[in-house]
Amino acid sequence: MLQFFNDVFVGVPAEINQAQNQLNENFQIVRNMIHAVHGFVLDTGLWLSRNRNLLLILIIAILASLFNQNFKVMTSDLVATGSLVASLASVNIRTSTAQFDQFDEHWASTYISRPEIEDKIRSIIADKRVFGSYYIVYGSKGAGKSTVVARAAGSTRGVVKVSVSDVSSKEALISKLSTICNIPSMFATEEDFLKAFKRAKGMNGVPPTIIFEVDRSKNSVTENLSTISAVRGLAKALAYSAHVIIVLSEANAVLEFGMDPFREDFIYVGEFTNGQAREYIKKMEINATETEIVELFAKVGTFPITLLALYKDIRMDNCTIEHFILKKIGQALSELKLFPLQPILSALKIFPDGVDPIYFNHTECKGVDLSDARAVGQIMKSKNAIIYHFTDGVYRLASTAHRT
């Protein structure tokens, strides 16, 4: 049993070995505690358990409750760091998209590489340095943001993915991430949590990577803002110990960022190139003539979700490509008619490549200053006919179908 207690520390960094030495100074007390739990261990089968951290946590938690506050701080650091390393070594991002589970078999063989975006994500994950900055991946819904990030991360060790929708505070987010990283809740204070990541940063030379996938709140705009605020706050705190990538499901949620240009870096994911879209159509075995493909790209566009919808319509409803094009244009027209800030649409007819908010010179429409991208963004979150392209600083129509 004593040998087991020593074995669980094998291969950990020098600073944790330092903690072990402090434990050894209290050897007699440790031995007594081990004898006290020895019977429990044998009875429950933990001795043979593959999850050695569980037994370690049990022993140290009991010890921490008996010794002074300094010893408790030391052991909390030890447990948090040890369990985080174990988790980061085994947690990988899965390259599957939950909303298309029924097409997983197709997805695995029909993924289309997007080298520019993938290389950017991979370079972030592999970088041995951290600069206190974090990355926001944004774009229209269905552009393939989560998919391309997951593909780029692949099975890289030390990458943790967290899906976030209704989280009201940074503390709640820490609790959620602590559970995923196997950090016991008794040690999941913000201070200990950040310290654990800081120590994990130096364990294999590459900092861990945290990917927050932020979905739209199912409840209210206010809760959605609270979720983004919590993610942004924790990203800022973690950015000195880990690489942080935030993937925004809702296109115009990006407008909740941009207030800290020295820490925030933006990665835009748009439509497939025509070449990528053609490759996707070929892999999905969509029968289409050259004329139909050209018309599809010109009138509806090449978003991955659009091409997947075409595949589904043809496969399930025997829809023709001509009918699909008419349906998508009709949907886009309805969204444009419902969009309440019509002066922006009028300006986009004049400047189809995008309109800078400054163009409106504080003109108001329905009480909204059209020069204020964040104020306009509150409208755009519920009506997705328009997207704010943060990198270029302009309003744009959300898709090719909206521009047709």
Side-chain angles (χ1 to χ4, degrees), residues 57 60-61 64 72 75-76 79-80 183-189 192-193:
I57 290 167
I60 292 182
K72 184 174 181 179
T75 53
S76 70
V79 173
I183 298 177
S185 59
M186 64 186 292
F187 301 117
T189 65
D192 286 331
F193 180 82

Side-chain angles (χ1 to χ4, degrees), residues 30-102:
V30 171
R31 184 178 64 178
N32 291 338
M33 287 304 305
I34 290 174
H35 284 311
V37 299
H38 185 257
F40 171 79
V41 170
L42 292 178
D43 291 342
T44 59
L46 285 177
W47 178 263
L48 299 176
S49 173
R50 294 177 64 189
N51 188 358
R52 287 180 156 192
N53 279 339
L54 184 59
L55 179 56
L56 174 62
I57 290 167
L58 171 66
I59 295 172
I60 292 182
I62 296 173
L63 290 172
S65 68
L66 297 178
F67 294 110
N68 59 40
Q69 185 62 29
N70 289 335
F71 185 80
K72 184 174 181 179
V73 170
M74 182 272 290
T75 53
S76 70
D77 291 348
L78 180 61
V79 173
T81 305
S83 58
L84 177 63
V85 172
S87 181
L88 293 178
S90 60
V91 177
N92 300 321
I93 286 188
R94 293 184 58 205
T95 56
S96 62
T97 51
Q99 71 231 58
F100 300 130
D101 281 346
Q102 65 270 41

Side-chain angles (χ1 to χ4, degrees), residues 107-150:
W107 192 95
S109 61
T110 58
Y111 176 79
I112 303 302
S113 179
R114 306 172 87 167
E116 185 177 348
I117 302 170
E118 292 171 18
D119 290 347
K120 174 71 173 175
I121 299 299
R122 289 193 186 106
S123 68
I124 293 169
I125 294 172
D127 199 335
K128 294 184 178 181
R129 304 161 297 173
V130 289
F131 302 100
S133 58
Y134 50 93
Y135 302 84
I136 299 101
V137 180
Y138 77 104
S140 294
K141 201 169 185 68
K145 301 179 292 291
S146 297
T147 303
V148 71
V149 170

